Amino acid sequence: MSNVVVVGAQWGDEGKGKIVDWLSERADVIVRFQGGHNAGHTLVINGTEYKLSLLPSGVVRPGKLSVIGNGVVVDPRALIDEIQRLRSAGVDVSPEKLKIADNAVLILPLHQELDVAREKASGKSAIGTTGRGIGPAYEDKAARRAIRVCDLKDPDILEFKAKELLRHHNPLRRSFGIASLDASMILNTLAGIKDELLSYAAPVWLELDNARNGGKRILFEGAQGVMLDVDHGTYPFVTSSNTLAGQAATGAGIGIGALDYVLGITKAYTTRVGSGPFPTELSDEIGQRIGQKGREFGTVTGRQRRCGWFDAVMVRQAIKTAGINGIALTKLDVLDGLNSLNICTSYDLDGESVDYLPASMRGQSSVLPCYETLEGWQESTEGARSWDELPAAAIEYIRRIEELIEAPVSLLSTSPERDDTITVIDPFGT
């Protein structure tokens, strides 16, 4: 195996940053293939914490090529700010080290304004977006009116596309009570940053093809999680892109045959940010305890995450739809000290037992979790680096999860530190 895809197997925030960083040491190229700067990764390297939103996690490691694929929507100002923050922290981010797909779509201020206006107008029905313009940018991409990175090279094309974009957006803005824009406003916004952005632009598909032909190991890094996928997630409470592993090929411009191993990142419990169904959510002291001990606050938004028991039904569904070969189980140590643990093994839907999450809004909001109770453990698992250091009850919990989700635990993470990882199956096959 030479190329690995990492995706979240729940609703995001599973701890992908640490796992991707751990894997990036073995990779030559690290690729972001979907989402935008609504995603957040926190890396802890030699005691130094890095918070990334848009840049691939490998960017903090020397000697690695980082790639932002065409499936990502790019806020140029946010990207440049993130690059500058890393440079101020001593990280080398140069055009030789970072490549941005020249056919990637740009997020503009008007996308953010529309995002916020819609959420405000939706009131209690709001989806709970980050307000960063991700959805509206993907809408423009699908409608074939988006401005892309390559358009910044051609002033005439850029002006034409800005005017076309406003033919759609200005009536929409007025309907929300937002003032109309002139094309010159978009052009002025981009004028001061286009040269720097273009310095990173490249035909990413060609870069990756050359890397693959040269025997390089490629790590594809997904954002959010499978259950936030626009097709297979808890629609409409989802993100605006496909988060499944198959999107790595489309969102990077590489053949599906290049994806050798899919690793699903999965917490030992369940969390969710924003609105939407959550069958195993806990609103009691245990839920509060998990949230406090797990420091469950969003990297990007700072919003408190909802917490609940491990949902084996949902994770098994994610494994099937995303083609996950094995999981990296994270935050096991957060469950230390609990007398007993519940795992959701099926749902009750109007008196009928179901073993999957229905597609309909009514079905998703109506399912009730059916639990199996396991014995907890009082010993600490924090920092464990071998199975011998784990309590017997913790091992039993892990093995039961494997049985229920029908996939092996390839990696086990026991703290935010990258070396506190137990390897069962190396996704790169080294």
Side-chain angles (χ1 to χ4, degrees):
M1 294 177 288
S2 58
N3 302 325
V4 175
V5 184
V6 174
V7 295
Q10 294 162 309
W11 279 298
D13 307 309
E14 300 96 347
K16 292 185 291 294
K18 170 193 166 173
I19 301 300
V20 169
D21 174 60
W22 187 85
L23 290 169
S24 69
E25 190 173 44
R26 297 157 174 77
D28 302 297
V29 184
I30 297 90
V31 185
R32 269 286 306 274
F33 60 84
Q34 51 78 219
H37 65 307
N38 56 339
H41 294 328
T42 300
L43 310 180
V44 181
I45 302 174
N46 297 326
T48 302
E49 188 174 84
Y50 301 94
K51 292 184 181 295
L52 305 179
S53 294
L54 189 57
L55 291 170
S57 297
V59 76
V60 300
R61 298 209 160 271
K64 311 293 181 181
L65 175 63
S66 292
V67 172
I68 295 177
N70 56 275
V72 178
V73 285
V74 179
D75 182 320
R77 184 71 265 169
L79 175 64
I80 291 172
D81 287 347
E82 192 170 334
I83 290 172
Q84 291 174 346
R85 287 199 304 272
L86 285 182
R87 283 178 176 163
S88 66
V91 177
D92 172 33
V93 185
S94 64
E96 292 71 35
K97 189 174 180 180
L98 173 67
K99 303 293 183 183
I100 302 173
D102 54 7
N103 55 341
V105 165
L106 296 181
I107 300 174
L108 304 173
L110 59 83
H111 293 125
Q112 296 172 338
E113 292 167 353
L114 177 58
D115 204 353
V116 172
R118 280 178 171 166
E119 284 287 274
K120 184 177 180 180
S122 296
K124 293 182 179 180
S125 300
I127 294 173
T129 74
T130 59
R132 308 226 165 177
I134 311 298
Y138 274 117
E139 289 177 36
D140 284 342
K141 177 180 180 177
R144 303 179 297 278
R145 57 174 170 258
I147 294 175
R148 303 191 298 174
V149 173
C150 56
D151 296 327
L152 300 178
K153 298 178 182 179
D154 191 322
D156 292 335
I157 291 294
L158 184 58
E159 182 177 2
F160 168 77
K161 296 191 78 170
K163 290 178 179 178
E164 288 297 301
L165 189 63
L166 291 179
R167 286 180 59 194
H168 169 79
H169 275 272
N170 273 338
L172 197 55
R173 291 170 66 86
R174 289 193 293 270
S175 72
F176 283 105
I178 309 173
S180 296
L181 293 174
D182 185 79
S184 62
M185 298 178 181
I186 294 177
L187 301 179
N188 291 337
T189 297
L190 296 172
I193 55 179
K194 67 178 183 178
D195 289 340
E196 183 170 359
L197 190 64
L198 285 171
S199 70
Y200 299 99
V204 158
W205 64 270
L206 185 58
E207 295 273 350
L208 294 178
D209 186 61
N210 291 335
R212 187 186 180 197
N213 291 335
K216 302 292 187 182
R217 290 176 176 164
I218 306 173
L219 178 62
F220 297 89
E221 174 186 0
Q224 289 93 33
V226 169
M227 300 313 294
L228 289 174
D229 184 271
V230 70
D231 287 307
H232 296 281
T234 49
Y235 190 91
F237 301 98
V238 292
T239 194
S240 299
S241 61
N242 288 110
T243 60
L244 273 61
Q247 179 62 19
T250 304
I254 196 166
I256 194 73
L259 312 181
D260 298 310
Y261 190 92
V262 181
L263 182 67
I265 316 300
T266 311
K267 276 178 182 167
Y269 49 97
T270 310
T271 64
R272 177 164 199 168
V273 171
S275 304
F278 188 166
T280 65
E281 183 172 10
L282 292 169
S283 301
D284 56 10
E285 294 181 359
I286 294 178
Q288 294 176 4
R289 171 178 171 165
I290 290 174
Q292 292 171 357
K293 189 170 183 180
R295 299 177 182 176
E296 296 297 350
F297 297 91
T299 300
V300 171
T301 64
R303 290 184 294 180
Q304 186 172 355
R305 298 174 187 139
R306 301 152 65 189
C307 299
W309 294 118
F310 187 86
D311 190 336
V313 180
M314 184 181 74
V315 173
R316 183 173 62 245
Q317 187 164 327
I319 285 169
K320 305 293 186 184
T321 56
I324 292 171
N325 300 106
I327 68 167
L329 193 66
T330 66
K331 292 199 168 185
L332 181 70
D333 56 299
V334 174
L335 301 179
D336 294 351
L338 293 175
N339 293 324
S340 61
L341 303 168
N342 289 334
I343 298 178
C344 176
T345 58
S346 65
Y347 300 133
D348 178 285
L349 179 58
D350 299 328
E352 179 182 353
S353 179
V354 293
D355 60 357
Y356 65 93
L357 189 63
S360 70
M361 288 181 65
R362 184 177 299 279
Q364 291 178 357
S365 63
S366 300
V367 293
L368 299 175
C370 299
Y371 290 119
E372 177 180 311
T373 302
L374 281 74
E375 182 182 355
W377 56 90
Q378 301 307 308
E379 305 95 323
S380 174
T381 63
E382 184 175 0
R385 298 185 181 182
S386 71
W387 288 100
D388 293 339
E389 298 176 52
L390 296 176
I395 295 175
E396 182 179 349
Y397 181 74
I398 296 167
R399 296 305 184 206
R400 185 55 178 149
I401 284 176
E402 289 180 315
E403 292 175 356
L404 290 169
I405 65 175
E406 300 176 15
V409 171
S410 301
L411 301 173
L412 181 66
S413 172
T414 57
S415 91
E417 293 293 335
R418 65 186 304 275
D419 292 330
D420 291 340
T421 305
I422 300 173
T423 306
V424 182
I425 301 171
D426 186 342
F428 279 118
T430 56

Short mmCIF file of all heavy atoms in Angstrom, two decimals, residues 217-256:
data_model
loop_
_atom_site.label_atom_id
_atom_site.label_comp_id
_atom_site.label_asym_id
_atom_site.label_seq_id
_atom_site.Cartn_x
_atom_site.Cartn_y
_atom_site.Cartn_z
N ARG A 217 4.56 8.40 -1.71
CA ARG A 217 3.39 8.06 -0.90
C ARG A 217 2.52 9.29 -0.72
O ARG A 217 3.01 10.35 -0.33
CB ARG A 217 3.82 7.53 0.46
CG ARG A 217 4.46 6.17 0.42
CD ARG A 217 4.93 5.76 1.78
NE ARG A 217 5.48 4.43 1.79
CZ ARG A 217 6.24 3.93 2.76
NH1 ARG A 217 6.53 4.67 3.80
NH2 ARG A 217 6.70 2.70 2.68
N ILE A 218 1.24 9.12 -0.99
CA ILE A 218 0.31 10.26 -0.93
C ILE A 218 -0.71 10.01 0.17
O ILE A 218 -1.30 8.94 0.27
CB ILE A 218 -0.41 10.46 -2.27
CG1 ILE A 218 0.61 10.58 -3.41
CG2 ILE A 218 -1.30 11.70 -2.22
CD1 ILE A 218 -0.02 10.62 -4.80
N LEU A 219 -0.92 11.03 0.99
CA LEU A 219 -1.91 10.99 2.06
C LEU A 219 -3.01 11.99 1.74
O LEU A 219 -2.74 13.18 1.57
CB LEU A 219 -1.25 11.34 3.40
CG LEU A 219 -2.15 11.38 4.64
CD1 LEU A 219 -2.76 10.01 4.92
CD2 LEU A 219 -1.35 11.86 5.85
N PHE A 220 -4.23 11.50 1.62
CA PHE A 220 -5.38 12.34 1.31
C PHE A 220 -6.15 12.64 2.59
O PHE A 220 -6.59 11.72 3.28
CB PHE A 220 -6.30 11.63 0.31
CG PHE A 220 -5.65 11.37 -1.02
CD1 PHE A 220 -4.95 10.18 -1.25
CD2 PHE A 220 -5.74 12.29 -2.05
CE1 PHE A 220 -4.36 9.92 -2.47
CE2 PHE A 220 -5.14 12.04 -3.29
CZ PHE A 220 -4.45 10.85 -3.50
N GLU A 221 -6.30 13.91 2.88
CA GLU A 221 -6.87 14.35 4.16
C GLU A 221 -8.25 14.95 3.96
O GLU A 221 -8.41 15.98 3.30
CB GLU A 221 -5.92 15.39 4.78
CG GLU A 221 -6.43 16.05 6.02
CD GLU A 221 -5.50 17.16 6.49
OE1 GLU A 221 -4.47 17.40 5.86
OE2 GLU A 221 -5.83 17.79 7.52
N GLY A 222 -9.26 14.28 4.51
CA GLY A 222 -10.62 14.79 4.41
C GLY A 222 -10.98 15.70 5.57
O GLY A 222 -10.34 15.69 6.62
N ALA A 223 -12.01 16.51 5.37
CA ALA A 223 -12.52 17.39 6.42
C ALA A 223 -13.92 16.93 6.83
O ALA A 223 -14.56 16.16 6.13
CB ALA A 223 -12.56 18.83 5.92
N GLN A 224 -14.38 17.39 7.98
CA GLN A 224 -15.69 17.00 8.53
C GLN A 224 -15.76 15.47 8.71
O GLN A 224 -14.77 14.87 9.09
CB GLN A 224 -16.83 17.52 7.65
CG GLN A 224 -17.04 19.03 7.70
CD GLN A 224 -16.28 19.76 6.64
OE1 GLN A 224 -16.08 19.28 5.54
NE2 GLN A 224 -15.85 20.97 6.95
N GLY A 225 -16.91 14.86 8.45
CA GLY A 225 -17.06 13.43 8.66
C GLY A 225 -18.10 12.86 7.72
O GLY A 225 -18.88 13.59 7.09
N VAL A 226 -18.14 11.53 7.63
CA VAL A 226 -19.03 10.85 6.69
C VAL A 226 -20.49 11.23 6.90
O VAL A 226 -21.24 11.41 5.95
CB VAL A 226 -18.85 9.32 6.81
CG1 VAL A 226 -19.94 8.58 6.04
CG2 VAL A 226 -17.47 8.91 6.30
N MET A 227 -20.90 11.37 8.16
CA MET A 227 -22.31 11.65 8.42
C MET A 227 -22.67 13.12 8.18
O MET A 227 -23.80 13.53 8.39
CB MET A 227 -22.68 11.23 9.84
CG MET A 227 -22.48 9.76 10.12
SD MET A 227 -23.15 8.64 8.84
CE MET A 227 -24.91 8.93 8.99
N LEU A 228 -21.70 13.90 7.69
CA LEU A 228 -21.97 15.25 7.23
C LEU A 228 -21.91 15.33 5.71
O LEU A 228 -21.98 16.42 5.13
CB LEU A 228 -20.97 16.25 7.83
CG LEU A 228 -21.13 16.53 9.33
CD1 LEU A 228 -20.00 17.42 9.83
CD2 LEU A 228 -22.48 17.18 9.62
N ASP A 229 -21.76 14.18 5.04
CA ASP A 229 -21.72 14.14 3.58
C ASP A 229 -23.05 14.65 3.00
O ASP A 229 -24.12 14.33 3.52
CB ASP A 229 -21.47 12.70 3.12
CG ASP A 229 -21.33 12.58 1.62
OD1 ASP A 229 -22.35 12.39 0.94
OD2 ASP A 229 -20.19 12.67 1.14
N VAL A 230 -22.96 15.43 1.93
CA VAL A 230 -24.15 16.05 1.37
C VAL A 230 -25.13 15.01 0.80
O VAL A 230 -26.33 15.28 0.70
CB VAL A 230 -23.77 17.10 0.30
CG1 VAL A 230 -23.20 16.44 -0.94
CG2 VAL A 230 -24.94 18.02 -0.03
N ASP A 231 -24.65 13.83 0.46
CA ASP A 231 -25.52 12.76 -0.04
C ASP A 231 -25.86 11.74 1.03
O ASP A 231 -27.01 11.30 1.14
CB ASP A 231 -24.85 12.03 -1.21
CG ASP A 231 -24.83 12.85 -2.48
OD1 ASP A 231 -25.91 13.32 -2.89
OD2 ASP A 231 -23.75 13.03 -3.06
N HIS A 232 -24.88 11.33 1.81
CA HIS A 232 -25.05 10.20 2.72
C HIS A 232 -25.15 10.59 4.19
O HIS A 232 -25.27 9.71 5.05
CB HIS A 232 -23.89 9.21 2.53
CG HIS A 232 -23.85 8.60 1.17
ND1 HIS A 232 -24.67 7.57 0.80
CD2 HIS A 232 -23.11 8.91 0.06
CE1 HIS A 232 -24.43 7.24 -0.47
NE2 HIS A 232 -23.49 8.05 -0.93
N GLY A 233 -25.12 11.88 4.49
CA GLY A 233 -25.18 12.32 5.87
C GLY A 233 -26.60 12.61 6.33
O GLY A 233 -27.58 12.23 5.69
N THR A 234 -26.71 13.28 7.46
CA THR A 234 -28.02 13.59 8.06
C THR A 234 -28.59 14.86 7.41
O THR A 234 -28.76 15.89 8.04
CB THR A 234 -27.89 13.77 9.58
OG1 THR A 234 -26.79 14.66 9.86
CG2 THR A 234 -27.64 12.44 10.26
N TYR A 235 -28.87 14.74 6.13
CA TYR A 235 -29.39 15.82 5.29
C TYR A 235 -30.73 16.34 5.83
O TYR A 235 -31.57 15.54 6.23
CB TYR A 235 -29.59 15.26 3.88
CG TYR A 235 -29.90 16.28 2.81
CD1 TYR A 235 -28.88 16.86 2.07
CD2 TYR A 235 -31.21 16.63 2.53
CE1 TYR A 235 -29.16 17.78 1.07
CE2 TYR A 235 -31.50 17.54 1.53
CZ TYR A 235 -30.47 18.12 0.81
OH TYR A 235 -30.75 19.03 -0.18
N PRO A 236 -30.94 17.66 5.91
CA PRO A 236 -30.11 18.75 5.39
C PRO A 236 -29.06 19.28 6.37
O PRO A 236 -28.41 20.28 6.07
CB PRO A 236 -31.15 19.83 5.10
CG PRO A 236 -32.16 19.66 6.20
CD PRO A 236 -32.23 18.16 6.43
N PHE A 237 -28.92 18.64 7.51
CA PHE A 237 -27.95 19.10 8.51
C PHE A 237 -26.58 18.51 8.20
O PHE A 237 -26.04 17.69 8.95
CB PHE A 237 -28.42 18.72 9.91
CG PHE A 237 -29.77 19.28 10.27
CD1 PHE A 237 -30.93 18.53 10.14
CD2 PHE A 237 -29.89 20.60 10.69
CE1 PHE A 237 -32.17 19.05 10.46
CE2 PHE A 237 -31.13 21.14 11.00
CZ PHE A 237 -32.27 20.36 10.88
N VAL A 238 -26.04 18.94 7.05
CA VAL A 238 -24.79 18.39 6.54
C VAL A 238 -23.92 19.53 6.02
O VAL A 238 -24.35 20.69 5.99
CB VAL A 238 -25.06 17.39 5.39
CG1 VAL A 238 -25.76 16.14 5.92
CG2 VAL A 238 -25.90 18.03 4.28
N THR A 239 -22.72 19.19 5.59
CA THR A 239 -21.89 20.17 4.91
C THR A 239 -22.27 20.19 3.43
O THR A 239 -23.16 19.45 3.01
CB THR A 239 -20.39 19.85 5.11
OG1 THR A 239 -19.60 20.98 4.72
CG2 THR A 239 -19.97 18.61 4.35
N SER A 240 -21.61 21.02 2.64
CA SER A 240 -22.02 21.20 1.24
C SER A 240 -21.16 20.43 0.26
O SER A 240 -21.24 20.66 -0.95
CB SER A 240 -21.98 22.69 0.88
OG SER A 240 -22.87 23.41 1.68
N SER A 241 -20.33 19.52 0.75
CA SER A 241 -19.47 18.73 -0.12
C SER A 241 -19.60 17.26 0.23
O SER A 241 -20.19 16.89 1.24
CB SER A 241 -18.01 19.17 0.02
OG SER A 241 -17.56 18.99 1.35
N ASN A 242 -19.05 16.41 -0.63
CA ASN A 242 -18.97 14.98 -0.35
C ASN A 242 -17.75 14.72 0.52
O ASN A 242 -16.63 15.12 0.18
CB ASN A 242 -18.88 14.17 -1.64
CG ASN A 242 -20.19 14.15 -2.41
OD1 ASN A 242 -20.31 14.75 -3.47
ND2 ASN A 242 -21.18 13.46 -1.88
N THR A 243 -17.97 14.05 1.63
CA THR A 243 -16.90 13.80 2.59
C THR A 243 -16.43 12.35 2.57
O THR A 243 -15.54 11.99 3.34
CB THR A 243 -17.39 14.14 4.01
OG1 THR A 243 -18.53 13.32 4.33
CG2 THR A 243 -17.78 15.60 4.12
N LEU A 244 -17.02 11.52 1.71
CA LEU A 244 -16.62 10.12 1.63
C LEU A 244 -15.25 9.99 0.97
O LEU A 244 -14.79 10.89 0.27
CB LEU A 244 -17.66 9.32 0.84
CG LEU A 244 -18.84 8.75 1.66
CD1 LEU A 244 -19.64 9.85 2.32
CD2 LEU A 244 -19.74 7.89 0.77
N ALA A 245 -14.64 8.82 1.14
CA ALA A 245 -13.29 8.61 0.63
C ALA A 245 -13.22 8.72 -0.89
O ALA A 245 -12.20 9.15 -1.44
CB ALA A 245 -12.78 7.24 1.08
N GLY A 246 -14.30 8.35 -1.59
CA GLY A 246 -14.30 8.44 -3.04
C GLY A 246 -14.06 9.86 -3.55
O GLY A 246 -13.56 10.05 -4.66
N GLN A 247 -14.39 10.85 -2.73
CA GLN A 247 -14.19 12.24 -3.11
C GLN A 247 -12.71 12.59 -3.20
O GLN A 247 -12.33 13.56 -3.85
CB GLN A 247 -14.90 13.17 -2.12
CG GLN A 247 -14.75 14.66 -2.39
CD GLN A 247 -15.33 15.11 -3.72
OE1 GLN A 247 -16.16 14.41 -4.30
NE2 GLN A 247 -14.93 16.26 -4.21
N ALA A 248 -11.86 11.80 -2.57
CA ALA A 248 -10.41 12.06 -2.64
C ALA A 248 -9.94 12.01 -4.08
O ALA A 248 -9.06 12.80 -4.48
CB ALA A 248 -9.65 11.06 -1.78
N ALA A 249 -10.48 11.10 -4.86
CA ALA A 249 -10.09 11.00 -6.27
C ALA A 249 -10.61 12.19 -7.06
O ALA A 249 -9.86 12.86 -7.78
CB ALA A 249 -10.60 9.69 -6.86
N THR A 250 -11.89 12.49 -6.92
CA THR A 250 -12.50 13.60 -7.66
C THR A 250 -11.93 14.94 -7.21
O THR A 250 -11.64 15.81 -8.03
CB THR A 250 -14.02 13.60 -7.46
OG1 THR A 250 -14.54 12.33 -7.85
CG2 THR A 250 -14.69 14.68 -8.28
N GLY A 251 -11.78 15.11 -5.91
CA GLY A 251 -11.36 16.39 -5.36
C GLY A 251 -9.88 16.66 -5.44
O GLY A 251 -9.41 17.74 -5.05
N ALA A 252 -9.12 15.70 -5.98
CA ALA A 252 -7.68 15.91 -6.16
C ALA A 252 -7.26 15.71 -7.61
O ALA A 252 -6.16 16.09 -7.99
CB ALA A 252 -6.89 14.98 -5.25
N GLY A 253 -8.15 15.08 -8.40
CA GLY A 253 -7.81 14.85 -9.79
C GLY A 253 -6.90 13.66 -9.99
O GLY A 253 -5.92 13.73 -10.74
N ILE A 254 -7.20 12.57 -9.31
CA ILE A 254 -6.39 11.37 -9.41
C ILE A 254 -7.33 10.16 -9.54
O ILE A 254 -8.46 10.19 -9.04
CB ILE A 254 -5.47 11.22 -8.18
CG1 ILE A 254 -4.34 10.22 -8.44
CG2 ILE A 254 -6.26 10.86 -6.93
CD1 ILE A 254 -3.23 10.28 -7.39
N GLY A 255 -6.89 9.13 -10.22
CA GLY A 255 -7.75 7.98 -10.45
C GLY A 255 -8.12 7.27 -9.17
O GLY A 255 -7.35 7.23 -8.21
N ILE A 256 -9.32 6.67 -9.16
CA ILE A 256 -9.80 5.98 -7.97
C ILE A 256 -8.87 4.82 -7.60
O ILE A 256 -8.77 4.43 -6.44
CB ILE A 256 -11.25 5.48 -8.20
CG1 ILE A 256 -11.90 5.05 -6.88
CG2 ILE A 256 -11.30 4.37 -9.22
CD1 ILE A 256 -12.28 6.19 -5.99
#
